[in-house]
Amino acid sequence: MRLSEPKEREIELRHASEPLVFVIDIGSSSVRASLFDACGREIQATQAKRSWGFRASQEGASEIAAEELFATVTSTVDEALRLVPRELRFAEVAISCFWHSLVVLDDAGRALTPVLGWADTRARAAAALLRARLDEAETHHRTGCRFHPSYWPAKILWLREQREEIVRRAARFGSFSEFLTGRLLDRSVMSVSMAAGTGLFDQHRCVWDERLIAALGLRRESFPKVEDTREAIARLAPEWSARWPQLSEARWHAPFADGATSNIGENCSTPERAVIMIGTSGAMRVLFEGKPPRSLPLGLWCYRLDGRRVVVGGALSDGGNLREWLSRSLALEATTLEEGLAQLAPDEHGLTVLPFWSGERSTGWHAEARGAILGLSMRTRPIDIARATLEAVAYRFAAIADHLRALFPVSQIVASGGALQNSPFWAQLLADVFAHPVELSRVREASSRGAALLALEASGMLSLRGPSPTIARRFVPDQDRAARYAAARARHERLYRLVLESQTA
């Protein structure tokens, strides 16, 4: 059947259309479990959520013990299943998982390292070494990824240098999703979408990049078998079937990457539609059927959802996490912050900010980048710093948008993620900076819904072609504000280039 956007965003279980899909959504700050029906509608009062977070250090670590995160996932599933009748049986289980993590596994599937997250920057020197040894532009064309500590090549090289004994004991490198499936299912499976975000995957041939693997001194056998969506199916292992009888008969799909599932969940899978998402971090993506671009700007990445769909975009390490930092560190309560931000005029503060508290990914991929505030005076107030910082985040998104518009006929920008859905100010700011309307999505959990839809599609129950995004509110740019932001963005770009040139000289 074809997907048509239902009038109801959520329905009661008794009104759900079968088959039912159980979704596990593992984000970079929380785990969610929920139920969806055959039309992609979330079922009311079946949602469970548990927060977690990577542990950071001054050295740049961003990690969590694999067993700890595994326990958070399983306890979230426990909680969600307690909300539905025990006799209920699910046909499909879909998993959405955060991109770019790395964990080293032994031959029994046990974790030899913590799960290293995308924000772990300890591999900065390793990324620079790869850049010196290899042709980054050529590698970027094949893998869609720059040499950066967020990706596997730099992380693996850093581990070889700093944790040589662990690498010698390694049977396989994987992401948290493979650790999870290896523990829960009768076989560990890795989807194309998860492999595509590693920086070690040939996006054109849909295989591990042999040249890069050889450059790291490794073998193809050190990496998981990658399967496309319809093949990557497993069953729950017996010990977990006894614990979760509702899921024991289900087809378990290999985890999908959350960046790709978000676009699907928003019904944005054509080159005309871009999704801008701000959750813990931020990203702007275009998803489409076809081949990777022949000429990919160095400021963007290119991954895959599966063997026929490609995702192109850019990512920021600072999004909702930076807004929370501003609120906490500047002693601005959430309500006070939103009201205070809206009362200021564009660029009224006179500050220029580089919003790299957590480092930079798109568009410069500068591993050494850190936050900076220029123009402070005795008249500067905390709210001025907050406003200038969020404006600077919008300027970084605008740089990504410029690259995407050069490749695709983007005519619709859909806004998603909790940070934007809870801040009309920020959504309007993006519209003004882009000088283009921004439409706020009605979908509450796009990555969860997207995973459910992809599982239904893989099982042959649904076609995802056709529906349009469901919009809650449209933010139209104000031309006067847009002009002021254009001038402020030019000042921001001058500082950005000056700092990059001084640090890369």
Side-chain angles (χ1 to χ4, degrees):
M1 84 186 196
R2 292 179 65 86
L3 176 65
S4 59
E5 187 62 36
K7 294 180 180 179
E8 307 91 348
R9 285 176 289 170
E10 295 185 3
I11 59 168
E12 295 179 7
L13 179 59
R14 60 194 177 96
H15 294 145
S17 300
E18 293 187 344
L20 301 179
V21 184
F22 187 88
V23 176
I24 305 169
D25 190 347
I26 310 165
S28 55
S29 60
S30 68
V31 177
R32 298 173 294 277
S34 52
L35 278 58
F36 287 79
D37 80 342
C39 296
R41 298 174 295 191
E42 191 170 11
I43 298 173
Q44 293 175 1
T46 63
Q47 299 83 14
K49 179 178 179 179
R50 298 205 172 187
S51 298
W52 70 277
F54 287 107
R55 294 184 181 89
S57 74
Q58 289 293 334
E59 294 75 26
S62 180
E63 62 184 28
I64 187 171
E67 291 288 351
E68 180 182 351
L69 182 52
F70 179 82
T72 301
V73 172
T74 55
S75 61
T76 307
V77 174
D78 288 339
E79 182 180 345
L81 290 177
R82 285 195 292 268
L83 299 174
V84 300
R86 188 170 177 82
E87 64 272 14
L88 192 67
R89 294 296 182 268
F90 294 94
E92 316 286 334
V93 177
I95 303 172
S96 173
C97 188
F98 55 90
W99 248 324
H100 318 311
S101 68
L102 174 67
V103 59
V104 181
L105 305 173
D106 67 12
D107 54 7
R110 294 182 295 257
L112 298 176
T113 65
V115 179
L116 309 182
W118 54 261
D120 195 306
T121 59
R122 288 175 293 180
R124 296 185 298 272
L129 191 59
L130 287 169
R131 197 171 295 115
R133 289 178 177 175
L134 302 172
D135 187 330
E136 184 176 35
E138 181 185 39
T139 305
H140 179 247
H141 173 72
R142 295 196 316 273
T143 68
C145 302
R146 297 280 296 272
F147 292 134
H148 191 270
S150 57
Y151 296 123
W152 281 18
K155 281 185 167 70
I156 291 173
L157 185 58
W158 175 77
L159 285 170
R160 288 183 69 92
E161 295 173 345
Q162 303 294 324
R163 309 283 192 274
E164 184 179 358
E165 181 182 349
I166 288 176
V167 174
R168 280 203 306 267
R169 294 169 55 198
R172 193 170 74 254
F173 296 91
S175 64
F176 175 72
S177 66
E178 288 75 63
F179 176 81
L180 177 73
T181 56
R183 290 286 302 275
L184 291 180
L185 307 182
D186 58 5
R187 68 189 187 101
S188 180
V189 286
M190 188 177 203
S191 66
V192 167
S193 68
M194 290 304 303
T198 63
L200 264 174
F201 194 73
D202 187 322
Q203 310 293 348
H204 301 268
R205 298 168 55 228
C206 282
V207 295
W208 292 112
D209 190 89
E210 296 286 358
R211 279 184 278 177
L212 198 46
I213 289 174
L216 293 171
L218 298 172
R219 299 178 302 160
R220 163 64 188 83
E221 292 73 24
S222 298
F223 300 91
K225 180 183 178 181
V226 179
E227 299 182 17
D228 208 359
T229 308
R230 294 182 185 274
E231 304 166 344
I233 307 294
R235 299 287 180 175
L236 195 58
E239 63 175 296
W240 294 99
S241 293
R243 178 166 168 174
W244 299 330
Q246 298 104 315
L247 307 179
S248 61
E249 301 170 11
R251 293 156 44 96
W252 285 66
H253 297 260
F256 304 102
D258 60 355
T261 59
S262 291
N263 274 59
I264 293 294
E266 299 290 0
N267 295 341
C268 291
S269 56
T270 63
E272 295 80 21
R273 295 170 181 161
V275 172
I276 181 167
M277 186 283 302
I278 304 182
T280 303
S281 57
M284 189 170 186
R285 302 176 292 260
V286 170
L287 186 150
F288 60 97
E289 290 193 27
K291 298 179 180 180
R294 291 185 179 180
S295 180
L296 180 68
L298 285 172
L300 300 180
W301 43 251
C302 174
Y303 312 141
R304 278 187 174 271
L305 167 60
D306 50 31
R308 63 186 176 88
R309 285 174 289 204
V310 175
V311 191
V312 175
L316 306 184
S317 296
D318 289 291
N321 57 347
L322 183 51
R323 183 186 171 102
E324 290 179 9
W325 183 93
L326 292 166
S327 178
R328 181 179 66 253
S329 300
L330 301 179
L332 296 167
E333 295 183 4
T335 303
T336 304
L337 177 59
E338 182 74 9
E339 292 175 354
L341 291 169
Q343 290 173 2
L344 296 179
D347 199 32
E348 178 182 339
H349 43 74
L351 303 174
T352 307
V353 176
L354 298 181
F356 305 134
W357 273 239
S358 301
E360 189 202 16
R361 286 188 282 172
S362 304
T363 53
W365 299 95
H366 192 249
E368 301 289 345
R370 290 295 179 268
I373 305 173
L374 184 66
L376 292 167
S377 73
M378 295 298 291
R379 296 187 298 275
T380 303
R381 302 165 298 167
I383 194 65
D384 296 321
I385 296 173
R387 169 92 185 213
T389 303
L390 296 186
E391 288 176 358
V393 172
Y395 301 151
R396 301 319 309 155
F397 272 117
I400 297 171
D402 288 346
H403 284 313
L404 288 174
R405 287 170 173 169
L407 286 177
F408 306 107
V410 176
S411 58
Q412 184 177 20
I413 299 176
V414 177
S416 178
L420 287 177
Q421 290 173 331
N422 295 325
S423 177
F425 160 77
W426 211 350
Q428 182 63 57
L429 169 63
L430 288 167
D432 291 336
V433 170
F434 290 171
H436 189 285
V438 170
E439 298 176 274
L440 190 63
S441 170
R442 290 176 58 200
V443 178
R444 189 169 62 90
E445 296 291 353
S447 54
S448 295
R449 180 173 186 266
L453 295 177
L454 288 166
L456 291 166
E457 180 192 50
S459 299
M461 303 174 190
L462 197 65
S463 171
L464 299 182
R465 294 188 176 98
S468 300
T470 54
I471 302 303
R473 183 175 174 183
R474 192 169 191 262
F475 295 85
V476 179
D478 177 275
Q479 296 306 313
D480 291 338
R481 290 196 298 264
R484 293 191 64 175
Y485 285 133
R489 182 188 169 195
R491 189 178 74 239
H492 162 89
E493 290 289 349
R494 287 194 295 272
L495 178 63
Y496 177 78
R497 288 192 299 270
L498 178 65
V499 171
L500 282 182
E501 289 173 0
S502 66
Q503 292 185 342
T504 56

